[in-house]
């Protein structure tokens, strides 16, 4: 009798235990970790079952949504092992995942979205394809990061409503000090878009290398691209390759902002064309890391013909509205010459249909309408820019420079501005960081990665993770919703995602990573 009872007991507990192991149903959407943190998350206590039979639908009136639906299907294939079917529909489906665009619900704005997870239907609603793409990113964060391990997953039901604090959320990659090929740039774009960043600033020229083909000035790449810091072989993008980057970025709702740094940081151009030098002599190519020694000759007309050709060719390949003219650290250009040069170059940029952005030093010139200054170090320049009517892109070197070492033991990176641990990088508010520069003056936030010490993708990853998700959150999530102690817990949950994506990240001691 007793043994029989024990046996029944064992079977019942066994079945119960087995059940609770195989069917883990998450039922509280608010327990998920999202980066950037959404505006609001409400749970409704049930779950949606995602299986290999789940279909992805998009509203047929909005053709661009096909691309978003296919993107989602490809991501789900990574997780489920097979890609769900994608189809256009004119009606709200009863089950599956449904993407649609509407002009209702003003609060969402151009890039916001609402993600509703019901028991049978997941719907992503937005005003634009970009908004749907961001809803998809959030949906993907409710699922495991990795490769198929089960053939169905439960997603907790509820609603997420979300929209960004700033419209310009950016990172910069310096491809001049060390050159990075198209595939590396695409991976970098993946990093940005996963965290809802929407601009990639490419630093395409500097003393150490000219990195984009200019058909009217072919020696820029024949000579000027042939090396890099440390003397490696360098490289450049053909115009076709640059266009491929632009296209890939567009598909991920990222706009490329090209930078040609001038009048300083131009040794590679000066070495390629002697006529751009005041003394008519080409300097040697440069592979060191000093700054501030080179300048285009600001009183030769050929300089402006050169700038006009370069801006015209790049602008024609760049659908985005901004052109970055650099303008930093022109220590070997006389101040009046600098102002004269920046004034003329701004007009050239406007004549090719682009808006002007430059490092904070350009505020010393007369700024054209709609110009933006990028704050990196100098508060006076930045407030002068604001007084002249410019918007500010916030990239304080002490907070947002991804090439700064985490601490004195970091084996790559610089520390001229600061050591930037993960908490230091996260814990600041762009709208209060510079006295006199308020939210209304700010275009957005950018985290630059300079590459004097960074030579390959693994090193990029180490400096960019886990910092980049934090900068993305600073751009997306309003400051009243952010605090480090809560963020670090969410960030810790992302460790397994970084691993699944094979990202070589810095396991900072200030983040409570899971085993
Ligand atoms: C300053 S930031 C520079 C760059 C360097 C960087 C290294 C800026 C506008 N100029 O030329 O690469 O420091 O951190």
């Amino acid at each position: 009798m007793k043994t029989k009872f024990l046996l029944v007991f064992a079977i019942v507990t066994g079945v119960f235990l087995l059940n609770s192991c195989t069917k883990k149903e998450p039922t509280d959407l608010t327990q998920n970790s999202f980066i950037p943190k959404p505006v609001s998350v409400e749970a409704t206590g049930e779950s949606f079952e995602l299986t290999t039979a789940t279909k992805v639908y998009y509203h047929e009136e909005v053709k661009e949504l096909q691309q978003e639906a296919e993107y989602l299907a490809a991501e789900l294939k990574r997780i489920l092992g097979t890609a769900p079917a994608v189809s256009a529909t004119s009606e709200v489906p009863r089950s599956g995942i449904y993407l649609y665009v509407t002009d209702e619900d003003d609060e969402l704005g151009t890039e916001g979205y609402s993600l509703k997870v019901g028991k049978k239907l997941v719907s992503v609603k937005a005003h634009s394809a970009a908004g749907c793409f961001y809803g998809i990113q959030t949906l993907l964060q409710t699922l495991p990061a990795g490769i198929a391990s089960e053939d169905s997953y439960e997603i907790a039901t509820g609603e997420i409503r979300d929209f960004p604090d700033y419209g310009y959320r950016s990172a910069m990659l310096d491809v001049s000090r060390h050159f990075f090929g198209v595939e590396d740039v695409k991976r970098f774009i993946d990093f940005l878009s996963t965290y809802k960043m929407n601009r990639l600033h490419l630093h395409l020229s500097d003393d150490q290398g000219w990195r984009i083909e200019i058909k009217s000035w072919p020696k820029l790449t024949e000579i000027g691209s042939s090396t890099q810091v440390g003397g490696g072989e360098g490289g450049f993008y053909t115009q076709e390759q640059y266009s491929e980057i632009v296209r890939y970025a567009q598909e991920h709702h990222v706009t490329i902002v090209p930078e040609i740094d001038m009048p300083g940081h131009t040794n590679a151009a000066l070495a390629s064309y002697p006529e751009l030098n005041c003394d008519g002599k080409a300097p040697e190519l440069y592979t060191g890391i000093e700054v501030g020694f080179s300048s285009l000759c600001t009183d030769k007309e050929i300089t402006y013909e050169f700038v006009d050709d370069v801006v015209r060719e790049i602008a024609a390949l760049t659908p985005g509205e901004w052109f970055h003219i650099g303008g930093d650290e022109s220590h070997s250009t006389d101040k009046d010459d600098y102002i004269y040069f920046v004034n003329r170059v701004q007009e050239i940029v406007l004549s090719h249909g682009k808006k002007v952005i430059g490092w904070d030093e350009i505020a010393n010139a007369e700024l054209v309408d709609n110009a933006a200054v990028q704050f990196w170090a100098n508060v006076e320049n930045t407030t002068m820019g604001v007084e002249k009517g410019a918007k500010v892109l916030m990239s304080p070197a002490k907070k947002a420079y991804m090439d700064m070492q985490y601490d004195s033991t970091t084996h790559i990176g610089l520390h001229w501005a600061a050591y930037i641990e993960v908490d230091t990088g996260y814990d600041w508010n762009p709208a209060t960081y510079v006295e006199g520069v308020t939210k209304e003056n700010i275009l957005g936030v950018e985290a630059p990665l300079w590459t004097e010490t960074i030579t390959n993708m693994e090193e990029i990853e180490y400096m960019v993770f886990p910092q980049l998700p934090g900068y993305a959150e600073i751009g997306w999530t309003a400051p009243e919703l952010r605090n480090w102690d809560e963020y670090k817990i969410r960030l810790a949950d992302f460790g397994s995602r970084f691993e699944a994506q094979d990202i070589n990240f810095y396991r900072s001691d200030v983040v409570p990573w899971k085993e």
Side-chain angles (χ1 to χ4, degrees):
M1 183 63 189
K2 210 173 171 187
T3 32
K4 204 165 161 197
F5 172 78
L6 275 178
L7 190 67
V8 171
F9 179 77
I11 290 171
V12 169
T13 17
V15 167
F16 177 77
L17 278 177
L18 194 72
N19 243 328
S20 56
C21 288
T22 53
K23 274 225 166 298
K24 264 206 291 170
E25 294 199 8
T27 49
D28 187 355
L29 190 60
T30 66
Q31 293 304 302
N32 275 92
S33 286
F34 299 108
I35 300 179
K37 186 179 185 174
V39 172
S40 73
V41 181
E42 260 172 56
T44 48
E46 296 179 300
S47 45
F48 171 91
E49 194 185 20
L50 175 76
T51 70
T52 50
T54 303
K55 292 200 169 105
V56 176
Y57 300 94
Y58 64 94
H59 191 38
E60 66 175 9
E61 274 168 31
V62 188
K63 292 279 168 283
E64 300 142 86
L65 287 181
Q66 182 177 354
Q67 184 190 303
E68 315 309 324
E70 274 161 11
Y71 172 86
L72 173 60
E75 290 296 305
L76 293 177
K77 181 178 180 191
R78 252 190 332 98
I79 299 167
L80 290 167
T82 54
V86 170
S87 48
T89 173
S90 58
E91 275 162 38
V92 181
R94 287 164 162 230
S95 63
I97 303 176
Y98 176 48
L99 311 177
Y100 68 109
V101 163
T102 162
D103 49 19
E104 300 156 5
D105 206 343
D106 286 346
E107 190 192 37
L108 298 179
T110 39
E111 295 181 298
Y113 63 90
S114 142
L115 167 65
K116 275 191 186 158
V117 183
K119 273 186 75 154
K120 295 270 174 257
L121 181 70
V122 173
S123 59
V124 179
K125 163 175 98 171
H127 291 183
S128 65
C132 280
F133 181 79
Y134 298 138
I136 288 169
Q137 295 306 334
T138 301
L139 175 62
L140 291 170
Q141 291 185 3
T142 66
L143 294 165
I147 327 301
S149 56
E150 291 166 48
D151 41 56
S152 80
Y153 292 98
E154 306 287 333
I155 304 173
T157 58
E159 183 182 7
I160 297 179
R161 292 179 59 78
D162 200 12
F163 43 87
D165 205 29
Y166 291 102
Y168 195 117
R169 305 175 303 280
S170 181
M172 188 203 82
L173 182 62
D174 169 8
V175 294
S176 182
R177 270 55 176 273
H178 281 97
F179 180 66
F180 300 93
V182 174
E183 289 313 307
D184 286 344
V185 178
K186 286 183 178 173
R187 182 158 166 85
F188 200 77
I189 291 168
D190 290 343
F191 296 158
L192 267 59
S193 61
T194 303
Y195 299 100
K196 305 184 175 68
M197 282 180 155
N198 62 5
R199 298 283 189 292
L200 171 61
H201 169 184
L202 284 178
H203 184 77
L204 290 167
S205 69
D206 212 304
D207 292 319
Q208 297 86 347
W210 185 280
R211 306 300 180 203
I212 181 164
E213 175 190 19
I214 301 295
K215 295 201 194 273
S216 53
W217 295 75
K219 288 188 202 156
L220 289 170
T221 44
E222 282 165 24
I223 298 170
S225 81
S226 63
T227 192
Q228 58 185 0
V229 169
E233 68 180 12
F236 68 92
Y237 310 119
T238 63
Q239 294 202 352
E240 248 167 58
Q241 288 173 321
Y242 177 78
S243 298
E244 186 184 338
I245 292 170
V246 165
R247 245 186 339 266
Y248 187 84
Q250 272 180 321
E251 285 164 16
H252 293 76
H253 301 281
V254 170
T255 304
I256 299 294
V257 178
E259 177 186 354
I260 296 298
D261 201 351
M262 47 196 166
H265 290 277
T266 42
N267 192 76
L270 296 167
S272 308
Y273 285 99
E275 56 269 44
L276 299 175
N277 296 270
C278 285
D279 65 3
K281 288 193 199 126
E284 296 283 294
L285 290 168
Y286 182 68
T287 61
I289 64 168
E290 295 300 314
V291 297
F293 60 88
S294 57
S295 182
L296 293 172
C297 191
T298 57
D299 48 21
K300 279 188 167 178
E301 264 326 285
I302 188 139
T303 296
Y304 301 96
E305 288 161 26
F306 165 76
V307 173
D308 188 72
D309 286 335
V310 168
V311 175
R312 175 174 44 77
E313 290 196 31
I314 297 175
L317 304 170
T318 307
E321 54 181 347
W322 295 99
F323 193 99
H324 202 302
I325 62 172
D328 59 317
E329 299 172 320
S330 295
H331 306 319
S332 59
T333 319
D334 179 86
K335 185 157 185 195
D336 291 338
D337 294 344
Y338 176 86
I339 292 172
Y340 173 77
F341 176 86
V342 173
N343 286 344
R344 282 194 67 176
V345 168
Q346 289 182 90
E347 294 301 333
I348 293 173
V349 170
L350 293 189
S351 77
H352 295 297
K354 299 296 174 193
K355 293 208 254 184
V356 172
I357 183 165
W359 298 106
D360 59 47
E361 288 95 324
I362 69 161
N364 289 288
E366 289 161 34
L367 296 177
V368 293
D369 287 349
N370 300 315
V373 297
Q374 183 166 8
F375 169 64
W376 65 281
N378 190 307
V379 170
E380 289 80 56
N381 286 340
T382 307
T383 46
M384 187 165 44
V386 169
E387 279 155 21
K388 292 182 179 178
K391 290 266 197 239
V392 178
L393 181 59
M394 291 296 291
S395 302
K398 288 177 193 304
K399 287 288 189 184
Y401 266 30
M402 296 191 290
D403 63 315
M404 291 299 120
Q405 291 166 289
Y406 296 102
D407 64 25
S408 63
T409 69
T410 313
H411 66 289
I412 42 175
L414 302 172
H415 60 262
W416 65 265
Y419 293 115
I420 308 183
E421 244 306 346
V422 186
D423 48 354
T424 308
Y426 179 79
D427 211 358
W428 61 286
N429 175 357
T432 55
Y433 190 78
V434 177
E435 213 185 300
V437 178
T438 56
K439 180 97 197 271
E440 307 79 71
N441 309 128
I442 297 176
L443 183 64
V445 182
E446 177 174 297
L449 182 69
W450 300 100
T451 59
E452 286 94 333
T453 63
I454 294 157
T455 66
N456 59 37
M457 194 65 205
E458 247 177 59
E459 293 175 348
I460 289 181
E461 291 171 4
Y462 190 77
M463 296 312 281
V464 162
F465 282 94
Q467 297 289 42
L468 183 134
Y471 298 124
E473 179 153 307
I474 292 171
W476 183 277
T477 308
E480 53 282 8
L481 295 178
R482 299 199 283 113
N483 90 68
W484 164 255
D485 286 322
E486 184 269 340
Y487 173 69
K488 72 179 180 195
I489 313 279
R490 281 185 285 127
L491 183 57
D493 284 340
F494 275 68
S496 60
R497 292 185 186 277
F498 304 154
E499 274 164 9
Q501 291 159 46
D502 223 355
I503 291 171
N504 173 40
F505 67 104
Y506 163 60
R507 285 167 198 275
S508 167
D509 285 343
V510 303
V511 180
W513 306 109
K514 309 267 155 65
E515 276 318 302

